[in-house]
Amino acid sequence: MKNWFQFLWLTSLAFRSYAVPRTTSLTKSYIITNYTVNLVKTVHTILLTCNAKDSQIIARQLIYWNHFVKIYDITNNFTLKAISEQDRSHAKTAIILNCECKTTQNLIFEASQFRYFNKTYQWLLWDFHNNNCFSHLQQSGLNYLGPNAQIVFLKYEEPHYLLWWDVHSKGRHLKANLEMHLVAKGTYINETLQFVSKNDINDIRGIRYRGDFEGLKLRGATVIDQDNITDNDQIEQILSRSSKDPGVSAFTKYHYELVNILRHRLNFTVEFRNARGWAGHLDNSSYRLGFLGIMQRNEADIGASAAYPRLNRFAEFDSLHQGWKFHTAFLFLYTPDLHAQSKKGNFLAPFEKHVWLGSLIILNMVGLVWIVEEHVKSYLSKITTSNVEIFKRIGGRFIIPLNIFAAICQQDPVPSGASSRVITLTSFLFSLVMYNYYTSSVVGGLLSTTDKGPSTVDEVISSPLRLSFEDIGYYKVKFRENKAPSIVKLLNKKVLPPRDPHDLPVYTNLESAIPYLKKGGYAFHCEEVDAYPELAKILTDTEICDLRAVSGLLGSALMDWIVHKNSQYTEIFRHIVTQAQEVGLIQRLLRQRRPKKPPCQNLYTVYPVNLSGTLSAFVLLAGSIIISSKILLLEIALKRYSNRLRD
């Protein structure tokens, strides 16, 4: 109300001195100053005028109210591109345009072409003598004039009326009509200004007046990767189903539900256009294909799908909402052969290779020290060297590795001499510590069930699992355009090799893949939220506990619900989505559309140890048998040679 009292005072002051029909420059300056200062409340103003006297008086009044004013003469082939970047960089700027100028029609068309009719620019179109402003706004080709337009049309009507009209449209590119709402109407009689009606301009520009599209048909786009899906009724039928459909991502159906919230709240309809994929370029050119291409070229007003957030896309699209987290994974059932393949059940797995190698080096050094100690002891005792004694000492030296092995196995060798006993005790303590670490790792691995099987994409690629992918566009685009080493390895080992016609195809749908997953030995890559409800219907309690998910092939991120950059619907759509989020509709949709993994009901599962898991132990045993056999043969030969010497 305070603003309107200021408005009444300023305008009354103008009309006490000058009658409206005279419309002197001073009268105009009071009216325009009032609009800028009290109605739209900006501090930056751009004057587009062809009358130097009017512009000087108006600018002087605005400067008096501490406004920054920039005057542009639009008489000589002026274009809006001539407005400096500095003048266009403010968050809120008033643009005052004199419709009596000859170039006004071209400037209004240019303002639509370069998207100046938005929340940033508060337009005042004034004409005290003719009715040019409204006719200019109705010219053909004026496509960008929508619900975000901030335009006030100021006109004089005979015999003594002054009217401020707020002008907008629900979409001129859709042949929607211009809508005018009266902000204020005043009359001048006997040198007195009286307001017949007045309204709050912020209320008129709000959702109350602009939130009913009256059944207007907007252009929509979505992604359904199926053949011969072109009819709008087909698209609506597929997207409205709550169950999984081939070639339709889970986030597409979620964003279709958001479109439903918008069209029910704003009262519009949608004519959908189907794209088979999301992204891509035509023959390595900059021409975008798929859903992103449609939205970038402004061929759709709203999309029933979303885009992966990338830095290079922020300059091309506006984001309405980020709610759906895109997350995909390889789904497979754990089997014991995967346990061995991932080295979780390997006999040598508790220690890494360098630990085993370091242990062997240390034990060899201990054996070498022991042998040197025996040599020194023999030298100090000055034992006479006969052939028999030599062979005894040789046999004693062969006993040293056995004593070390006995100490490692926590047996009780009884060497002679204090130094030998210290070596034996040290070896025993070393083996005790290592044995503790080894057994704790084994027991911990047996008690842990969540880590069994491949846990990374590289391990999945190296595993014996046969891989398959959901038959949907983004996998094919990724395999075609991404040349990362892991992707190349995946293609060479799992995707490109030929398959049996009766085997699971590389690209298939979830319904066809589930029987193979249940059989084991297969992994299917898809959105987890699509697979969990279907798997819960088929898998047993034990199989649910064996279900594993390995993510990392496709990045996980919040998907952007996008419209064209600087779309005329960005602000109003964001407003409705924010309201839906505040009342809990978005959270309810996410709970419905993002089911969790079925819980494991079994406390534990006993997995049998297979031959591949114990292969290293059998190799060690076989090696030990071979070595012991050779030692036995050597002992037999030494015994025979000793007997010959004795004879």
Side-chain angles (χ1 to χ4, degrees), residues 1 20 71 99 204 223 236 263 311 327 356 381 410 443 475 481 485 541 543 558 567 605 609:
M1 292 302 294
V20 173
I71 302 173
C99 290
I204 290 176
V223 181
E236 294 267 9
R263 63 179 171 183
L311 290 177
H327 194 268
W356 287 112
S381 60
Q410 300 183 0
V443 173
Y475 289 109
E481 297 182 355
D541 291 342
E543 290 170 337
L558 288 173
S567 169
T605 303
V609 179

Side-chain angles (χ1 to χ4, degrees), residues 224 228-239:
I224 300 177
N228 302 321
I229 303 297
T230 56
D231 184 66
N232 187 67
D233 292 335
Q234 288 179 299
I235 295 172
E236 294 267 9
Q237 185 179 8
I238 292 173
L239 295 181

Side-chain angles (χ1 to χ4, degrees), residues 180-321:
M180 300 179 62
H181 296 280
L182 188 64
V183 179
K185 180 179 181 181
T187 181
Y188 183 79
I189 301 176
N190 298 328
E191 299 184 356
T192 302
L193 178 65
Q194 294 180 350
F195 278 90
V196 179
S197 64
K198 56 183 180 293
N199 298 290
D200 184 2
I201 192 171
N202 293 320
D203 184 41
I204 290 176
R205 290 176 173 177
I207 197 71
R208 176 183 173 187
Y209 285 86
R210 303 192 179 188
D212 186 0
F213 283 38
E214 299 177 351
L216 183 67
K217 182 177 289 186
L218 269 61
R219 305 166 302 167
T222 189
V223 181
I224 300 177
D225 197 0
Q226 296 181 18
D227 294 329
N228 302 321
I229 303 297
T230 56
D231 184 66
N232 187 67
D233 292 335
Q234 288 179 299
I235 295 172
E236 294 267 9
Q237 185 179 8
I238 292 173
L239 295 181
S240 60
R241 285 198 289 262
S242 59
S243 58
K244 170 66 178 175
D245 283 280
V248 184
S249 64
F251 63 83
T252 293
K253 290 197 172 185
Y254 166 75
H255 288 93
Y256 173 76
E257 295 289 350
L258 296 182
V259 171
N260 285 337
I261 292 176
L262 290 181
R263 63 179 171 183
H264 291 155
R265 174 62 181 84
L266 297 175
N267 187 24
F268 63 81
T269 60
V270 182
E271 181 73 24
F272 282 107
R273 171 183 175 182
N274 183 35
R276 291 293 299 268
W278 282 266
H281 292 87
L282 181 62
D283 297 332
N284 296 323
S285 66
S286 60
Y287 187 85
R288 282 191 181 273
L289 301 175
F291 176 76
L292 292 182
I294 294 173
M295 302 305 294
Q296 181 199 27
R297 294 187 295 273
N298 197 24
E299 295 173 3
D301 304 306
I302 190 169
S305 190
Y308 196 82
R310 298 190 187 279
L311 290 177
N312 64 331
R313 293 175 181 172
F314 289 112
E316 301 172 339
F317 305 102
D318 285 337
S319 178
L320 301 178
H321 168 69

Side-chain angles (χ1 to χ4, degrees), residues 2 17 23 79 106 171 297 327 339 344 356 361 399 436 520:
K2 180 180 178 181
S17 303
T23 59
T79 66
N106 293 334
R297 294 187 295 273
H327 194 268
H339 190 63
K344 299 289 184 178
W356 287 112
I361 293 174
I399 294 297
N436 256 343

Side-chain angles (χ1 to χ4, degrees), residues 382-393:
K382 297 181 180 179
I383 299 177
T384 57
T385 57
S386 65
N387 291 332
V388 176
E389 293 298 326
I390 289 175
F391 284 111
K392 285 184 178 180
R393 285 199 295 275

Side-chain angles (χ1 to χ4, degrees), residues 264-536:
H264 291 155
R265 174 62 181 84
L266 297 175
N267 187 24
F268 63 81
T269 60
V270 182
E271 181 73 24
F272 282 107
R273 171 183 175 182
N274 183 35
R276 291 293 299 268
W278 282 266
H281 292 87
L282 181 62
D283 297 332
N284 296 323
S285 66
S286 60
Y287 187 85
R288 282 191 181 273
L289 301 175
F291 176 76
L292 292 182
I294 294 173
M295 302 305 294
Q296 181 199 27
R297 294 187 295 273
N298 197 24
E299 295 173 3
D301 304 306
I302 190 169
S305 190
Y308 196 82
R310 298 190 187 279
L311 290 177
N312 64 331
R313 293 175 181 172
F314 289 112
E316 301 172 339
F317 305 102
D318 285 337
S319 178
L320 301 178
H321 168 69
Q322 284 186 326
W324 184 275
K325 188 173 184 180
F326 179 68
H327 194 268
T328 58
F330 285 106
L331 299 176
F332 59 92
L333 292 185
Y334 167 76
T335 53
D337 58 327
L338 297 178
H339 190 63
Q341 185 71 24
S342 63
K343 297 185 179 180
K344 299 289 184 178
N346 196 312
F347 179 74
L348 301 175
F351 292 153
E352 294 183 358
K353 289 182 180 180
H354 66 273
V355 177
W356 287 112
L357 183 61
S359 301
L360 290 175
I361 293 174
I362 290 173
L363 294 176
N364 286 328
M365 291 177 64
V366 169
L368 181 61
V369 170
W370 202 337
I371 292 173
V372 171
E373 184 268 340
E374 287 291 334
H375 274 289
V376 172
K377 186 171 64 174
S378 299
Y379 175 76
L380 293 176
S381 60
K382 297 181 180 179
I383 299 177
T384 57
T385 57
S386 65
N387 291 332
V388 176
E389 293 298 326
I390 289 175
F391 284 111
K392 285 184 178 180
R393 285 199 295 275
I394 291 175
R397 307 265 163 41
F398 277 116
I399 294 297
I400 290 174
L402 296 178
N403 288 339
I404 294 175
F405 189 74
I408 293 174
C409 295
Q410 300 183 0
Q411 300 302 311
D412 190 19
V414 185
S416 61
S419 59
S420 299
R421 291 175 181 177
V422 170
I423 293 174
T424 303
L425 179 62
T426 304
S427 301
F428 179 80
L429 291 176
F430 172 78
S431 66
L432 182 63
V433 173
M434 297 296 286
Y435 185 74
N436 256 343
Y437 281 111
Y438 186 90
T439 53
S440 62
S441 176
V442 172
V443 173
L446 291 173
L447 293 178
S448 174
T449 58
T450 56
D451 292 336
K452 289 185 176 179
S455 56
T456 65
V457 174
D458 286 337
E459 290 181 0
V460 170
I461 296 173
S462 302
S463 72
L465 289 168
R466 298 186 69 81
L467 306 185
S468 181
F469 303 86
E470 185 178 2
D471 191 6
I472 200 165
Y474 45 74
Y475 289 109
K476 301 170 186 177
V477 172
K478 184 176 183 65
F479 293 155
R480 184 177 65 249
E481 297 182 355
N482 195 316
K483 304 302 180 183
S486 59
I487 300 299
V488 174
K489 181 180 177 182
L490 172 63
L491 290 174
N492 293 334
K493 292 193 67 174
K494 300 291 186 179
V495 178
L496 298 179
R499 297 194 178 189
D500 188 275
H502 302 290
D503 198 2
L504 182 65
V506 174
Y507 298 106
T508 187
N509 55 60
L510 178 63
E511 184 179 2
S512 301
I514 286 180
Y516 290 89
L517 293 180
K518 184 176 175 65
K519 184 170 59 175
Y522 290 85
F524 185 66
H525 199 277
C526 64
E527 282 192 83
E528 294 176 85
V529 294
D530 281 334
Y532 287 151
E534 303 302 322
L535 291 173

